[in-house]
Amino acid sequence: MTSSSTPPREPGLDLLRAAAIVTVMLYHIASHGFDLPRIGHHGWMGVDLFFVLSGYLIGWQVLGRIAAGAPAGWGTFWLRRALRVLPAYWAVLAVYLAVPAWREAETMAPPWQFLTFTVNLFPDYARYRAYSHAWSLCVEEHFYLLFPLAVGLLARRPGQARTIAAFVLLAAGGMLLRDGLWRHEVAPLLAAGDAAGAFLRHAETIYAPTWTHLDGLLAGVLLAMVRAFRPAWWASLLRRAPLLLGLGLATIALAVRIDPVGRVGTLLLYPLLGLGFGCLLVAAVSPRLPFARVALPGARPLAVLAFSLYLTHRQVYAWLDAPLVHLVGSAPWAAFAIANLAALAVAALLYLAVERPGLLLRDRLLRRGTAAQAG
């Protein structure tokens, strides 16, 4: 039974969540002795799919209410976000701090950066690699803080031209900023033949910071805005889902051929991923295609565990490096299965022990708030 504050699950969105976490996990496990040349190189794009999903779902959660004439309810919004993210995130952080031997790398950034969600603003991947995947959660948290401000500013003098201008400014500004950083921070290292240094510098100055990686969130919010305020446009998009599915797949196929550290990739890759994954999102929720009606086996459990998996899978892979070292060489698929089953087991434990209780507490508090308002 679904609580009043928890919307029913959509099979298409669960499929995208499952695809996102699987690609990220395959990207990370490739560095533990498994030869996965294609997905091992491009699985990082799963994070951008998460960004598009987040922008759409969070955007619709707020903009749908506003379009219906209801108040945005920012207190409720922040309560939902806090109890969705913080319990599991803090639990894993506590393990990292309390048991250094369990980390996937020896050193990690100072605790205050994790507590203030500024890990991605001061990255130093040469020294601090443990729990470094928290950078994407920092981007999400900054989005939760800045999105209400953007909505408030646009709502003061609403208008289609102002909204379009804001999106164009943010997207174009991000592209120009990335290009300037690439020319000053990355290009000299590439010219000197230091490919490893260029990759590291690109990750620290362009890939991780919030202000250079907003494209996926913008794409998701744009779709939510169309759904909320231009329902006829949204219906038209849903009718064209087969075409958008093809366009999305073609865009992603193009994106994987682009060097992410090169100038073209730095400038265009994140907008391309936002476009491609945005098209796939429309295809996933459209009744014209089966994704919105038929739940693929295994997609929902993976979607439910996606956040806990994201938080813990790198640590689990590191734990198993020594026990599986011989099996990786003699029976790599068996080692691969063991590593991922262990990651699923740890994620399920975190979900049942921490994440799910936080979600249930959130739902109880929201029901109480609704009852109090009705009273």
Side-chain angles (χ1 to χ4, degrees):
M1 181 175 179
T2 302
S3 70
S4 60
S5 58
T6 303
R9 302 197 70 89
E10 299 183 47
L13 296 181
D14 277 348
L15 178 60
L16 292 182
R17 286 190 192 93
I21 189 59
V22 166
T23 55
V24 170
M25 291 173 68
L26 293 178
Y27 173 68
H28 285 141
I29 202 173
S31 62
H32 291 267
F34 297 95
D35 185 17
L36 302 169
R38 290 187 178 274
I39 198 68
H41 293 163
H42 306 295
W44 61 268
M45 294 179 179
V47 174
D48 288 81
L49 176 53
F50 275 126
F51 285 161
V52 174
L53 281 166
S54 182
Y56 171 74
L57 292 169
I58 299 304
W60 171 246
Q61 184 184 113
V62 173
L63 300 176
R65 288 176 53 87
I66 295 175
W74 294 119
T76 299
F77 170 80
W78 281 314
L79 174 66
R80 292 178 67 92
R81 294 297 91 209
L83 290 176
R84 176 69 184 87
V85 172
L86 295 182
Y89 172 70
W90 281 345
V92 174
L93 177 60
V95 172
Y96 269 93
L97 295 175
V99 192
W102 286 4
R103 300 173 185 171
E104 71 272 12
E106 184 176 351
T107 57
M108 59 188 292
W112 68 266
Q113 291 188 17
F114 292 96
L115 294 173
T116 59
F117 291 99
T118 54
V119 171
N120 71 322
L121 305 185
F122 310 102
D124 186 353
Y125 294 137
R127 287 196 301 164
Y128 305 133
R129 304 196 64 174
Y131 210 11
S132 59
H133 50 290
W135 74 269
S136 64
L137 299 181
C138 298
V139 175
E140 293 270 0
E141 290 297 316
H142 301 160
F143 169 59
Y144 301 154
L145 293 174
L146 296 175
F147 181 57
L149 175 62
V151 171
L153 290 175
L154 290 174
R156 289 184 178 182
R157 294 179 59 188
Q160 182 174 310
R162 287 171 56 85
T163 302
I164 293 175
F167 273 89
V168 170
L169 181 63
L170 287 171
M175 293 172 69
L176 292 174
L177 179 59
R178 288 195 299 271
D179 187 62
L181 288 169
W182 184 89
R183 286 186 287 107
H184 289 92
E185 301 287 345
V186 179
L189 295 173
L190 289 174
D194 186 2
F199 180 85
L200 184 64
R201 196 64 183 143
H202 189 280
E204 293 176 343
T205 61
I206 296 173
Y207 181 69
T210 302
W211 43 74
T212 50
H213 211 143
L214 288 172
D215 305 79
L217 290 165
L218 287 174
V221 171
L222 182 59
L223 288 175
M225 187 170 291
V226 171
R227 181 183 175 186
F229 297 108
R230 292 292 184 269
W233 295 4
W234 180 248
S236 179
L237 288 175
L238 295 181
R239 287 195 299 270
R240 291 167 171 78
L243 176 62
L244 292 176
L245 175 62
L247 176 60
L249 292 174
T251 303
I252 302 305
L254 172 62
V256 300
R257 296 176 179 274
I258 298 175
D259 177 12
V261 183
R263 188 173 187 180
V264 173
T266 298
L267 193 66
L268 298 177
L269 190 52
Y270 304 148
L272 276 177
L273 292 175
L275 171 63
F277 289 137
C279 290
L280 295 186
L281 190 152
V282 175
V285 300
S286 170
R288 287 288 308 277
L289 295 172
F291 308 115
R293 303 186 302 271
V294 181
L296 268 68
R300 180 173 180 176
L302 281 171
V304 170
L305 293 178
F307 184 52
S308 289
L309 273 169
Y310 187 78
L311 291 174
T312 58
H313 71 280
R314 289 187 64 200
Q315 202 172 16
V316 175
Y317 292 160
W319 293 346
L320 295 176
D321 274 343
L324 295 181
V325 62
H326 298 297
L327 193 60
V328 169
S330 60
W333 287 111
F336 179 85
I338 292 171
N340 284 294
L341 287 173
L344 285 169
V346 171
L349 177 62
L350 177 64
Y351 176 79
L352 293 173
V354 181
E355 185 181 348
R356 187 169 183 269
L359 296 175
L360 294 175
L361 174 61
R362 177 195 69 181
D363 290 346
R364 286 197 300 271
L365 293 175
L366 293 176
R367 283 196 297 271
R368 289 179 186 174
T370 301
Q373 290 176 0

